[in-house]
Amino acid sequence: AAVLPPCVLCSCLLPMQLCAVPQAAPPVRSFQIDFDRDCFLKDGAPFRYVSGSVHYARVPRAAWRDRLLRLYMAGLNAVQVYVPWNYHEPQPGVYDFSGDRDVEAFLDLAAELGLLVILRPGPYICAEWEMGGLPAWLLWTADIVLRSSDPAYLAAVDAWLHVLLPKIKPRLYQHGGNIISVQVENEYGSYYICDSSYLQHLLGTFRALLGPEVLLFTTDGAQVEDLRCGTLQGLYATIDFGPGSNVTEAFGTQRYVEPRGPLVNSEYYTGWLDYWGGPHASISAALVAQGLANMLQLGANVNMYMFHGGTNFAYWSGADFKGKYEPVTTSYDYDAPLSEAGDPTEKLFAIRTVISKVLSLTGGRAVLCSGRRIGFITSPVSLSAAWQAQGFVLYRTQLPRDILAPATLRAPPHSICDRGYVMLQKEYQGTLERDGQTELRVKGKAGDMLDVLLENMGRISFGANFSDFKGLLGNLSLDSRPLSNWLIYPLTIDAAIHQGWPHAAQTKSSSRSRAGPAFYAGTFETPGIAWDTFVKFPGWSKGQLWINGFNLGRYWPQQGPQQTLFVPGSILRVGCPNNITVLELEGAPPNPSLLFLDQPLFNRTINHRLLDKE
């Protein structure tokens, strides 16, 4: 056979390339509402989601894949995600999207696992999160009116949204991403101001930054009065309610403002939150499964809040005000289908069975097996007590005169926000409380140092009492004579511990009483593994715990119901000592030790004799 010269070969191939059939353009991606058929349309076809809430801010980054994969394997096709503003902008104009705060990485991981996203970027989110996600520095502006058309508030909101939303836009479903809808504000109908101009401003900002195609929605309670102030034309109105509600009546409320369109429960409560001093929340798996089945039989779209609750690490837990201040526990287990540590519960399998009858499951039971956790004891732990006048905010003054007979140290009502640990000449005198004890009896000499260590237990995250200022809000008095000349020390304890203190310092054991605020430091080694565990505080009172510089949150076993703190295995070290730092605020046991368990304990509380869960 003749061999063509190279030039001839080229001339023969060229016409074939020019004549090749061009590839078809990729289909146009869209996510819309079909008001004629009362459903969502995904790429033009009817679509229904069954979603679950997972908060990346409550889960260590090392566990994100595990939690999302378990959600996917349970048969859900979407995950609902909050974005806490204060988690990303700790100071005005200072932004943090690194590490555990890398929301873009979380969204991309969800896409990788085949999950759609329902995004709730606020600016207010509630979520039982510190100040509902709003930064506390907003309160630096005198007389600011939060969640309103107040120009000072809107300026801060606009600056934040111009940072956040451009990160979101490329991940919208219309642009090839996995975000199918975005909520504007949150449960605004439950807020007292009822400022429609504020919602209109947010709508304009979201449209300007995300484009005209994205589906924007609101969420409010299933009461007509909530929907009156929480909804706005141009935002699709959805509702939230739990398994004890009448499903038909609840969706009838949604139909009050949305006569046509898909039925949506944006927060179907699989459990509930816990407050310090209250019972551990528990809702039966059968009741939750039946409510889910009833909604799916109506063709509704459902997001389960929470699918996995996680943990309020550090100081991120919020609070409620229901006649009194009620701070939320560190654990956000929520009695959810996935436990605080990510283990499947009876509720998860009940939900999975319901979903399997409506939607095709994604398969694979093996991934839902319980993970292993470690349990061991460090008793007695070699802890050295070194008293430090450190905490969150320290107020210091001196006694103005000799107090030879005990005098009454009194705080005005509601001026201690939230707990004040009183020391006179470094000796613990007792605790003043926001809605509790406001008086102590003290005596001393003129010039004696009086310290009040103020602890912020979390800002209110829901309702009208939103400007929840912290610290000493009114002057203390001695036998009705006001004290003066206060010095105020804001204390950055986390930064010091993160940098290695007190383990890197030459601390010495103290012979002082174990009552009152003090730091305790020690080490332990894991038995060749670094899995999740829970730490118990036998004999301890109340305080904060760090392991290897990671702030695990507040413990308060005397108050309950939470008796343990969750310790993610990802923060533990293998083959070298793990550093423990404890700030005990009221009094440590005579022989301080910590006990590591393989399961959490939610025991009886001081106010409730019922043993809820153990």
Side-chain angles (χ1 to χ4, degrees), residues 482-506:
L483 294 170
S484 59
N485 300 321
W486 289 96
L487 297 175
I488 304 175
Y489 298 90
L491 303 174
T492 56
I493 175 176
D494 285 79
I497 291 178
H498 187 72
Q499 292 169 8
W501 183 91
H503 298 270
Q506 296 296 319

Side-chain angles (χ1 to χ4, degrees), residues 68 188 268:
L68 291 177
Y188 193 65
Y268 176 60

Side-chain angles (χ1 to χ4, degrees), residues 241-247 249-250 265 268-271 283-284 287-292 294-295:
F241 59 89
S245 302
N246 182 303
V247 172
E249 290 181 1
N265 185 346
Y268 176 60
Y269 303 112
T270 61
I283 299 180
S284 76
L287 185 63
V288 171
Q290 185 58 57
L292 177 62
N294 292 342
M295 288 185 288

Side-chain angles (χ1 to χ4, degrees), residues 44 71 73 99 258 266 323 334 369 404 408 572 575 595 608:
L71 181 147
M73 300 303 283
E258 298 290 359
S266 289
Y334 213 84
C369 63
L404 301 180
T408 300
L572 300 178
L595 179 64
H608 297 80

Side-chain angles (χ1 to χ4, degrees), residues 229-303:
C229 289
T231 57
L232 187 73
Q233 186 175 2
L235 298 170
Y236 190 71
T238 74
I239 57 173
D240 52 30
F241 59 89
S245 302
N246 182 303
V247 172
T248 303
E249 290 181 1
F251 282 129
T253 305
Q254 184 188 6
R255 284 286 178 248
Y256 175 80
V257 290
E258 298 290 359
R260 302 302 303 267
L263 299 175
V264 180
N265 185 346
S266 289
E267 290 187 12
Y268 176 60
Y269 303 112
T270 61
W272 202 246
L273 60 140
D274 287 349
Y275 301 104
W276 290 114
H280 176 60
S282 180
I283 299 180
S284 76
L287 185 63
V288 171
Q290 185 58 57
L292 177 62
N294 292 342
M295 288 185 288
L296 295 183
Q297 287 168 5
L298 289 176
N301 299 262
V302 181
N303 173 73

